[in-house]
Amino acid sequence: MNKKVKQEIKTEETDTKELTINSLESLGPYILEQDNAKNFVYVSDVPQLCKDEPCMLGVDEAGRGPVLGPMVYGIAFCPLSKKDILKQLGFADSKQLTEEKRDQIFDEMNRKDYAVEALGWAVEAISPNVISMNMLRRTKHSLNEVSMDSAIGLINAAIEAGVNIAEVYVDTVGPPEKYQAKLKAIFPKFKITVAKKADSTYPIVSAASIAAKVTRDHALKVWKFRERPNEEENSFGSGYPGDPTTKQFLGEIDLVFGFPRLVRFSWSTASNALEKKAYDMEFEEEPDAKASQKATYGSERLSKYFSASKNENRKRHEYFRDRCLEHVAEI
């Protein structure tokens, strides 16, 4: 059964490509076509059984901690009556499986007839560039908020695709009570369970975990460097700060431009490396405030009338003076 992209551009950070993933072999080429500076969402075809019967839906992520590469959120869904399929495919916590085993399960869930007739999935790959910009912008958007937005967005994508959701199971690293209360407020009709280590407790969450983990693994394998066109494939390791290969990669800093977009430059591991090696940047001071009030052709700027010098003693408006009105701090 073919898989089609059913995605909508929700922000300028999301890119859309009409391609399909119907096996492990087709995953890499699909990812390679995406802009790795932006997020992308992929939603599989929804089996008819998932529209006709009440379904369970699992949510999990991969790549939350690494300093390199995207964080990927995944969901998986299947009818409550087809729980045995999850056991038959061998779903378990993706972190406890070898990479080869994860790839094998992912391939089978997209190829085997009994799987594609009852199981669907979706992922959102959140670019390291987007993660860093969210965490460093003036109004900061934390990684927890980015994660929650992605999970909610994928659940909504499944609803829009016609999945008949009855139960939702979510793996979390934070306090499950607060997360569960928020999801329950957004999706009041669903039975919602948020728990730590849910990927090792609920097979449907394990399925979501494998979709997310395999997508992230292959996103790193096919990563294209705009900044370093001659970079060798996977010269950066796993992306975790403790990996010697990753440490070596982070030591190769462009002294002016810093790291390529693969690096989450908001991570302390990356920012500390920049502070030690990269050049300090100095920016010219803004021109004198009063001088900036003058337009180039000699007239005054309109903005002058909405700002005042801190040292200027302004008189109170005549309306208040004529009526002998004063500020009162205490009555």
Side-chain angles (χ1 to χ4, degrees):
M1 180 184 294
N2 285 340
K3 309 290 185 182
K4 298 180 180 178
V5 179
K6 299 175 182 176
Q7 51 188 330
E8 296 180 359
I9 299 178
K10 296 181 180 179
T11 67
E12 293 180 358
E13 299 162 351
T14 303
D15 195 19
T16 304
K17 297 280 187 180
E18 288 292 338
L19 298 174
T20 61
I21 300 173
N22 50 28
S23 64
L24 178 68
E25 186 180 0
S26 60
L27 177 61
Y30 172 84
I31 297 173
L32 193 59
E33 289 297 316
Q34 311 306 311
D35 183 347
N36 58 29
K38 300 178 181 179
N39 297 355
F40 73 81
V41 177
Y42 182 92
V43 182
S44 75
D45 274 347
V46 178
Q48 190 60 43
L49 276 176
C50 293
K51 297 180 180 180
D52 296 338
E53 297 185 18
C55 290
M56 66 180 83
L57 181 146
V59 183
D60 199 8
E61 54 78 24
R64 181 183 177 87
V67 67
L68 305 179
M71 177 173 70
V72 180
Y73 255 79
I75 63 171
F77 46 86
C78 79
L80 294 171
S81 63
K82 297 293 183 180
K83 292 180 180 179
D84 290 344
I85 289 178
L86 301 175
K87 294 181 181 180
Q88 188 174 350
L89 284 167
F91 286 119
D93 181 2
S94 67
K95 301 177 187 66
Q96 297 178 0
L97 300 173
T98 64
E99 181 179 351
E100 291 76 15
K101 185 62 176 177
R102 289 193 300 266
D103 284 352
Q104 177 188 335
I105 294 174
F106 181 86
D107 192 54
E108 289 179 355
M109 66 187 276
N110 284 281
R111 283 183 181 273
K112 299 288 187 180
D113 288 341
Y114 70 86
V116 297
E117 290 173 359
L119 179 67
W121 59 278
V123 291
E124 179 178 22
I126 305 169
S127 162
N129 189 54
V130 172
I131 292 172
S132 295
M133 288 193 298
N134 272 289
M135 295 180 69
L136 295 178
R137 69 187 189 184
R138 183 169 297 176
T139 304
K140 293 187 178 181
H141 202 57
S142 71
L143 191 63
N144 284 341
E145 292 172 308
V146 171
S147 299
M148 195 172 293
D149 288 348
S150 181
I152 293 168
L154 287 173
I155 294 172
N156 277 322
I159 294 171
E160 292 170 8
V163 181
N164 183 10
I165 301 173
E167 299 176 4
V168 176
Y169 299 89
V170 184
D171 184 84
T172 182
V173 294
E177 297 81 11
K178 185 177 179 181
Y179 196 174
Q180 184 166 313
K182 180 169 184 176
L183 290 176
K184 191 65 179 175
I186 298 172
F187 307 108
K189 295 182 179 180
F190 304 155
K191 175 188 173 183
I192 296 178
T193 302
V194 178
K196 294 183 179 182
K197 304 295 183 182
D199 50 353
S200 59
T201 306
Y202 305 100
I204 193 65
V205 180
S206 302
S209 177
I210 285 177
K213 180 64 175 171
V214 173
T215 299
R216 174 178 155 79
D217 288 346
H218 285 261
L220 292 176
K221 287 180 179 180
V222 301
W223 188 273
K224 288 193 299 186
F225 286 90
R226 296 180 179 182
E227 308 88 348
R228 304 177 181 180
N230 297 323
E231 187 78 28
E232 295 180 6
E233 285 188 13
N234 199 355
S235 59
F236 42 80
S238 65
Y240 286 92
D243 185 332
T245 305
T246 299
K247 284 183 178 180
Q248 182 179 351
F249 178 83
L250 292 175
E252 300 170 357
I253 300 173
D254 186 295
L255 298 182
V256 176
F257 298 104
F259 292 115
R261 287 182 175 180
L262 174 70
V263 179
R264 301 179 190 177
F265 48 85
S266 57
W267 258 232
S268 60
T269 306
S271 60
N272 290 340
L274 285 173
E275 289 178 4
K276 289 179 181 179
K277 288 192 173 183
Y279 293 138
D280 291 331
M281 303 298 294
E282 294 184 3
F283 297 90
E284 293 183 3
E285 295 183 2
E286 294 184 2
D288 180 76
K290 287 188 176 181
S292 66
Q293 298 291 349
K294 296 289 185 179
T296 55
Y297 49 81
S299 63
E300 294 180 332
R301 292 180 181 273
L302 184 62
S303 59
K304 173 184 176 181
Y305 298 95
F306 298 93
S307 62
S309 171
K310 293 182 179 179
N311 299 322
E312 181 180 353
N313 294 320
R314 300 180 62 186
K315 292 183 179 180
R316 301 181 68 218
H317 192 276
E318 62 181 3
Y319 176 88
F320 299 99
R321 296 200 308 269
D322 292 345
R323 291 164 177 76
C324 299
L325 297 176
E326 297 179 356
H327 291 292
V328 176
E330 297 180 0
I331 297 178

